[in-house]
Amino acid sequence: MNKLKLTFLLLFAISTSFAQQQKPQVKLQDEQSSFFEMNLGLVGYSYFNVLATSLQFNIAAPVNRYFSFGVLLSLYSTPKPASREDYLGNEVLYSPKGARGGFLLRVSTNPTKSHFYGELIATGGKAFQTGVSKKPEESMANEFMGGGNVGVNFKGKGNSFFGVYTGLSLGNLKFDLTDDSEKITRFQFGLTYHMKT
């Protein structure tokens, strides 16, 4: 009888020890990890009448299980010229392109599996051709915007995810050579590659 009690006591001690060792691993699997993300898509700005291709990189670290905070860097360029009227009413052909950087705050449903997410973004950047002048050096402006995105990421192999996203931002262009500014909107959509780090 004593041997049976000793055996049960020993099994209980071993199982308790094993469970305690496993708890941190389970916790780590449930928690969100940092991620790197690449977005490839199309963007439309209100100040030009063609779509531009866009490449964006996001890097973020978890605030808690559902929230992440990070930075983004984005480049865009139109594959064909846009057109608009300049200050004198003449049609100007130009090739909009720009770069922007900023911050993102993302909330995800379950970041370790296939998940939906929404995020708030704030960006600042440079528009290199806005069409207000035939001369590109007279057509540059600073871009400031705020908005949001929604998307879904589907679990792939290992730490990889693939998904789609769309979003809308509002802001303005502050032209370099004048005190003028222009209110603008930006609409974007595309494909995502997301990798946990």
Side-chain angles (χ1 to χ4, degrees):
M1 188 70 175
N2 287 336
K3 287 183 179 180
L4 186 59
K5 286 182 179 180
L6 186 60
T7 302
F8 278 122
L9 185 62
L10 188 59
L11 285 174
F12 177 75
I14 292 172
S15 62
T16 302
S17 175
F18 181 77
Q20 289 295 329
Q21 291 175 2
Q22 293 302 310
K23 278 184 180 179
Q25 296 176 5
V26 172
K27 185 177 181 182
L28 287 174
Q29 289 176 356
D30 288 341
E31 289 180 350
Q32 185 174 358
S33 59
S34 300
F35 67 81
F36 165 80
E37 194 171 75
M38 182 173 67
N39 297 333
L40 180 62
L42 297 174
V43 298
Y45 276 87
S46 57
Y47 73 90
F48 54 84
N49 56 3
V50 295
L51 288 175
T53 56
S54 172
L55 180 62
Q56 180 169 306
F57 301 97
N58 305 324
I59 300 173
V63 177
N64 60 32
R65 181 177 179 184
Y66 298 104
F67 286 88
S68 296
F69 181 77
V71 295
L72 66 89
L73 175 64
S74 176
L75 306 170
Y76 64 90
S77 179
T78 57
K80 62 180 183 178
S83 63
R84 69 180 290 177
E85 291 185 351
D86 64 11
Y87 291 125
L88 301 176
N90 300 315
E91 185 180 52
V92 175
L93 293 178
Y94 62 109
S95 299
K97 55 181 65 70
R100 63 183 195 147
F103 301 96
L104 64 89
L105 177 64
R106 177 177 295 189
V107 58
S108 304
T109 53
N110 188 345
T112 60
K113 300 178 181 179
S114 296
H115 58 274
F116 291 96
Y117 67 86
E119 62 188 9
L120 297 174
I121 57 173
T123 63
K126 195 74 173 180
F128 295 105
Q129 290 195 40
T130 61
V132 296
S133 172
K134 293 181 180 180
K135 297 179 180 180
E137 63 273 15
E138 297 178 356
S139 184
M140 295 189 294
N142 294 314
E143 172 193 306
F144 302 98
M145 305 198 81
N149 297 315
V150 293
V152 57
N153 286 330
F154 300 99
K155 187 81 168 72
K157 292 183 179 180
N159 294 324
S160 296
F161 294 75
F162 299 91
V164 294
Y165 70 93
T166 187
L168 179 69
S169 296
L170 305 174
N172 67 69
L173 293 176
K174 178 68 175 67
F175 297 101
D176 284 5
L177 299 182
T178 68
D179 293 329
D180 295 336
S181 64
E182 180 179 336
K183 292 183 179 179
I184 57 171
T185 60
R186 171 185 166 117
F187 173 72
Q188 60 185 21
F189 61 95
L191 303 175
T192 299
Y193 172 71
H194 176 105
M195 182 179 69
K196 302 294 183 188
T197 58

